[in-house]
């Protein structure tokens, strides 16, 4: 018999689902049986994704969410729970990267990356976790199956990469945030883990791989290849499921060996 992971009956919220990894994550969670809340700023693209998931027999709902806006986060989480039920799985995926040497980075760029990648991920997780904790404390023992928060960090959070200093700093914060959340929220049955992808070809960097410097970097990668969003499918579903019950505060790289 094949080994399968079933997320039926679970509700998953994915931030930044309108492109790249988030677009893929939402589909994978839906394929595993979860009802998925597609959140982001580009509503038309989210509707396109919803149609695609529904076409594959999945269940999806679109909600507008700007992670830099706390009121938007609170409204989106409340709306998501009203429409789909309590959130069991959060994929904190929304993020931005600006390529700049440290001496050239502007304060605005610094603020943008930290506000989106760190503060945004923190406030979304906090809003979702507050509700998970309330469920955990309110139910009779054994009925709360546990929450899962998956923070999408980066190998850049573990190893400084060329012209990505500030981005790397923000992702290092996401990694430590993961550990802090795991330490505080584990007692409520919430597991918080981080995935640190290496270079994956997505909207965020697609143009770069066509440039001369992108091609040079590609040749420096251990296996001279980029990852694909689907390369993260199994890790994501594992972290989202009961099968990883004992895994809390883990920081897992998926970088083809680049960070070694
Ligand atoms: P992407 O640019 O395709 O996706 C990022 C998503 O976040 C976009 O849909 C964007 O609209 C959304 N977003 C940005 N600011 C937002 C905001 N204020 N509110 C709501 N949504 C917002 O890029 P990709 O590659 O899919 O990135 C996803 C995550 O993976 C990011 O956190 C990124 O830092 C991380 N990552 C990506 C790697 C790569 O090589 N592609 C490597 C390591 C980490």
């Amino acid at each position: 018999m094949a080994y399968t992971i079933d997320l039926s009956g679970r509700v998953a919220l994915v931030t930044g689902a309108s492109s790249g990894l988030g677009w893929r994550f939402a589909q994978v969670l839906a394929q595993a049986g979860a009802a998925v809340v597609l959140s982001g700023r580009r509503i038309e693209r989210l509707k396109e994704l919803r149609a695609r998931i529904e076409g594959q027999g999945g269940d999806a709902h679109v909600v507008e969410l700007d992670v830099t806006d706390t009121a938007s986060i609170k409204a989106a989480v409340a709306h998501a729970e009203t429409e789909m039920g309590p959130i069991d799985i959060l994929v904190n995926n929304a993020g931005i990267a600006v390529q700049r040497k440290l001496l050239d980075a502007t304060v605005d760029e610094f603020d943008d990356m930290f506000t989106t990648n760190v503060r945004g991920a923190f406030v979304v997780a906090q809003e979702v976790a507050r509700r998970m904790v309330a469920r955990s404390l309110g139910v009779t023992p054994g009925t709360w199956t546990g929450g899962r928060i998956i923070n999408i960090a980066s190998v850049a959070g573990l190893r400084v990469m060329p012209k990505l200093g500030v981005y790397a700093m923000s992702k290092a914060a996401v990694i430590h945030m993961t550990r802090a959340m795991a330490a505080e929220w584990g007692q409520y049955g919430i597991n918080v883990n981080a995935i640190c992808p290496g270079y994956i070809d997505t909207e965020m960097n697609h143009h770069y791989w066509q440039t001369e410097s992108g091609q040079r970097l590609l040749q420096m990668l251990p296996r001279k290849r980029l990852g694909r969003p689907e390369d993260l499918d199994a890790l994501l579903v594992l972290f989202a499921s009961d099968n990883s019950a004992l895994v809390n505060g883990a920081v897992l790289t998926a970088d083809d060996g680049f960070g070694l």
Side-chain angles (χ1 to χ4, degrees):
M1 200 175 106
Y3 185 81
T4 54
I5 290 183
D6 185 5
L7 299 179
S8 299
R10 302 292 161 89
V11 174
L13 170 69
V14 181
T15 69
S18 59
S19 63
L21 300 182
W23 177 274
R24 176 74 192 182
F25 291 155
Q27 290 181 78
V28 172
L29 293 169
Q31 278 162 16
V36 188
V37 182
L38 313 170
S39 74
R41 296 166 302 178
R42 293 175 290 181
I43 296 301
E44 286 313 311
R45 293 187 67 156
L46 294 175
K47 285 183 180 166
E48 191 187 325
L49 179 57
R50 180 182 63 195
R52 185 184 281 238
I53 290 173
E54 286 175 351
Q56 292 162 354
D59 188 7
H61 185 78
V62 170
V63 78
E64 190 167 0
L65 170 64
D66 178 348
V67 301
T68 65
D69 175 351
T70 303
S72 161
I73 293 172
K74 288 182 183 293
V77 171
H79 180 77
E81 292 214 336
T82 306
E83 293 294 327
M84 301 293 262
I87 295 165
D88 303 290
I89 301 159
L90 165 65
V91 185
N92 241 333
N93 164 77
I96 56 169
V98 180
Q99 266 199 327
R100 198 82 70 212
K101 288 188 171 176
L102 291 182
L103 289 178
D104 300 326
T106 66
V107 171
D108 283 347
E109 288 166 350
F110 182 100
D111 284 347
D112 285 349
M113 277 184 270
F114 270 76
T115 304
T116 303
N117 299 353
V118 186
R119 197 187 76 174
F122 173 72
V123 179
V124 175
Q126 189 189 44
E127 189 61 21
V128 169
R130 280 189 177 128
R131 290 156 184 271
M132 287 176 171
V133 169
R135 283 167 75 198
S136 144
L137 296 176
V139 297
T140 44
T143 58
W144 161 238
T145 50
R148 295 286 183 269
I149 297 177
I150 303 150
N151 294 323
I152 307 305
S154 168
V155 68
L158 297 164
R159 174 193 165 159
V160 176
M161 295 168 39
K163 290 202 225 162
L164 284 172
V166 177
Y167 174 75
M169 288 153 60
S170 76
K171 291 299 189 175
V174 172
I175 289 169
H176 223 52
M177 179 176 82
T178 301
R179 298 187 179 116
M181 289 173 173
E184 273 196 29
W185 298 343
Q187 62 183 307
Y188 303 109
I190 303 170
N191 290 27
V192 190
N193 294 297
I195 298 177
C196 293
Y199 287 114
I200 314 266
D201 191 359
T202 66
E203 191 171 309
M204 178 181 266
N205 53 28
H206 185 69
H207 62 283
Y208 177 65
W209 303 114
Q210 325 305 320
T211 66
E212 217 181 302
S213 106
Q215 286 294 314
R216 261 201 317 276
L217 176 55
L218 187 54
Q219 291 311 309
M220 285 162 54
L221 299 180
R223 290 194 258 205
K224 301 185 189 348
R225 64 179 185 185
L226 297 170
R228 302 157 306 163
E230 54 268 37
D231 291 327
L232 305 177
D233 289 0
L235 300 183
L236 182 85
V237 172
L238 177 67
F239 279 157
S241 72
D242 280 350
N243 307 48
S244 56
L246 222 56
V247 185
N248 194 23
V251 176
L252 191 60
T253 51
D255 65 350
D256 216 19
F258 178 66
L260 296 173

